[in-house]
């Protein structure tokens, strides 16, 4: 059934800022309903997703039922919440009962979770309506979505290129206008890197800001759920809905409020320029560096000042991350044994064979590689040399960040060394793929928040991202600064032409 709207067009309600969209739904006298918004988002998915593969599953019935509940509240004079009627895409490693949850892995074939992920439940509590589960690299391991067992997602700015990963489906969905908001997860960059490559905003919260309950664990000490959106204001609205302590995740902690602070100014802002994050000499890094320099010039003109910072240990962050994350993954993924979840190998004659065959058939190559690396790094005789050493480096890295934030308010860098690369370009080169995370993993190792915002395009018309890093609990300030930078620089979300494919 078609809604009252055509799927695309000037001043389309689905393209409004989230606060304005929800305000129209909440306004009883406005003809816009949540059901119409969700129907239109579903129509866009139907038209655009065959070319993008951003969704693994469309949850039309669920989203429409949630929308009907929102509309009923409006009619009854109740407040349906700040995200009233806003379509939400959910990464397929977050639990939504009644829908399949695959983590883009064959091993979870046929699995549907019994309970809600807290973050999703809270977004729905604020009025959001889930339109589908998005594609990812298998178990969130990767930087391109090419490790998905269900085919790669495509970048809306150039479908021959990747959208980044692992939350690539969520990023493509938002960038293409199929959903104004999406949830992603970020263990080493998986919200920020795809946000950068798809020209949108993505925020990795402070560790402990958002509940991980119902998020399929990859590396539990690094994983965070966070918002992906077209603007910092929209990302803030979703973060406000999902943040907060949760009895189901003992690592959540009370943190400073997220309300906008209108008094935040670029004038007087001290931003750190980290020597080790410079891209001079990095192959292909010229355009990203030029875009960051452009923003720095805007900041300086607005009265901000650059502080030179050195964080020597960030040069070790890729090796440290690729010990810690696989170590935790090898333990977390032990639960997929063919007994409790999803797929089970057939025609086996022993329990050992059941485990081995299920895992061999169910996991893809990258997941197996991580399990092998992690098991090795934790094994007796090697744990001291690898895992414990990596953990010690991690503590020192956090201390270096703490010292940096005594000298400046935020750190500023590119999000990725280059814009989106071609599908297949790095697929057979794990090390090249791991290096995509060179500018993002340190925030996870240190547990600090970081946001990627659009900062222009390459000469080929591909988006580039700027990253702001903050002290623990400073997401509110990062969002304020992000909003001021967008105003001052004029950079922001620019709809890709795929959207005009009526
Ligand atoms: N690309 C990184 C990895 O492959 C980060 C993934 C993530 O943040 N989930 O591990």
């Amino acid at each position: 059934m078609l809604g009252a709207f055509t799927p695309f067009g000037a001043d389309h309600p689905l393209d409004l800022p989230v606060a304005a969209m929800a305000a129209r739904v909440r306004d009883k006298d406005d003809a816009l309903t949540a059901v119409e918004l969700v129907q239109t988002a579903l129509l866009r998915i139907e038209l655009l997703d065959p070319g993008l593969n951003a969704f693994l599953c469309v949850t039309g019935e669920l989203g429409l039922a949630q929308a009907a509940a929102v509309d009923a509240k409006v009619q009854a004079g109740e407040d349906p919440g700040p995200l009233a009627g806003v379509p939400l895409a959910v990464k397929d490693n977050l639990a939504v009962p009644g829908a399949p949850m695959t983590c883009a892995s064959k091993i979870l074939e046929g699995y549907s979770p019994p309970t809600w992920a807290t973050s999703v439940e809270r977004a729905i509590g604020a009025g959001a309506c889930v339109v589908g589960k998005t594609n990812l690299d298998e178990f969130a391991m990767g930087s391109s979505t090419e490790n998905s067992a269900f085919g790669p997602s495509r970048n809306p700015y150039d479908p021959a290129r990747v959208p980044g990963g692992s939350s690539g489906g969520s990023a493509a969905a938002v960038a293409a206008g199929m959903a104004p908001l999406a949830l992603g997860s970020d263990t080493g960059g998986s919200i920020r890197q795809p946000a950068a490559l798809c020209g949108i905003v993505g925020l990795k919260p402070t560790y402990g800001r958002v509940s991980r309950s119902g998020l399929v664990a990859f590396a539990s000490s690094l994983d965070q759920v966070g918002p992906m959106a077209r603007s910092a204001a929209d990302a803030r609205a979703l973060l406000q809905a999902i943040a907060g302590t949760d009895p189901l995740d003992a690592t959540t902690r009370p943190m400073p409020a997220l309300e906008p602070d209108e008094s935040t100014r670029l004038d007087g802002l001290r931003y750190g320029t980290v020597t080790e994050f410079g891209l001079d000499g990095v192959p292909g890094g010229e355009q990203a560096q030029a875009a960051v320099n452009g923003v720095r010039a805007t900041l300086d003109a607005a009265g901000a000042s650059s502080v030179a910072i050195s964080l020597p240990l960030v040069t070790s962050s890729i090796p440290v991350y690729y010990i810690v994350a696989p170590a935790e993954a090898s333990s977390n993924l032990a639960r997929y044994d063919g007994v409790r979840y999803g797929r089970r190998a057939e025609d086996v004659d022993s329990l050992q064979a059941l485990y081995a065959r299920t895992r061999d058939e169910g996991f893809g190559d990258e997941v197996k590689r991580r399990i092998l690396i992690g098991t090795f790094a934790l094994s007796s005789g090697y744990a001291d040399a690898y895992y414990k050493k990596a953990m010690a480096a991690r503590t020192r890295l956090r201390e270096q960040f703490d010292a940096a934030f005594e000298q400046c308010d935020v750190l500023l860098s590119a999000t990725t060394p280059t814009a989106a690369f071609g599908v297949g370009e790095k697929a057979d080169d794990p090390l090249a793929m791991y290096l995509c995370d060179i500018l993002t993993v340190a925030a996870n190792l240190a547990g600090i928040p970081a946001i990627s915002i659009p900062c222009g395009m390459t000469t080929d018309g591909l988006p580039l991202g700027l990253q702001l890093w903050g002290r623990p609990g400073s997401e509110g300030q990062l969002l304020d600064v992000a909003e001021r930078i967008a105003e001052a620089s004029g950079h922001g979300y620019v709809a890709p032409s795929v959207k005009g494919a009526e």
Side-chain angles (χ1 to χ4, degrees), residues 91 93 136-144 147 165-167 185-194 204 218-219 222-224 318 321-322 325-326 366 370 433-437 440-441 444:
K91 187 175 182 180
N93 59 354
L136 64 155
D137 289 292
E138 186 175 4
F139 285 103
M141 296 173 188
S143 307
S144 67
N147 295 337
S166 63
S167 313
S185 68
D186 191 312
T187 304
S190 277
I191 289 176
R192 292 160 287 156
Q193 186 256 14
K204 183 205 85 78
F218 163 8
L222 303 164
D223 300 339
Q224 268 296 289
I318 286 286
Y321 173 84
Y322 279 96
E366 182 59 28
R370 305 280 178 114
M433 198 67 93
Y434 295 175
L435 287 171
C436 295
D437 308 324
T440 51
V441 293
N444 304 73

Side-chain angles (χ1 to χ4, degrees), residues 166-243:
S166 63
S167 313
S170 285
V174 171
M178 295 188 279
L181 293 176
L183 287 173
S185 68
D186 191 312
T187 304
S190 277
I191 289 176
R192 292 160 287 156
Q193 186 256 14
L197 269 42
C198 289
I200 61 166
V201 173
L203 186 150
K204 183 205 85 78
T206 310
Y207 187 76
R209 167 77 78 173
V210 179
S211 171
R212 290 175 296 112
S213 180
L215 166 72
V216 175
F218 163 8
S220 309
S221 76
L222 303 164
D223 300 339
Q224 268 296 289
V225 178
M228 304 176 80
R230 293 181 296 223
S231 69
D234 288 3
R236 188 194 309 259
L238 181 53
L239 182 61
Q240 283 177 312
I242 65 175

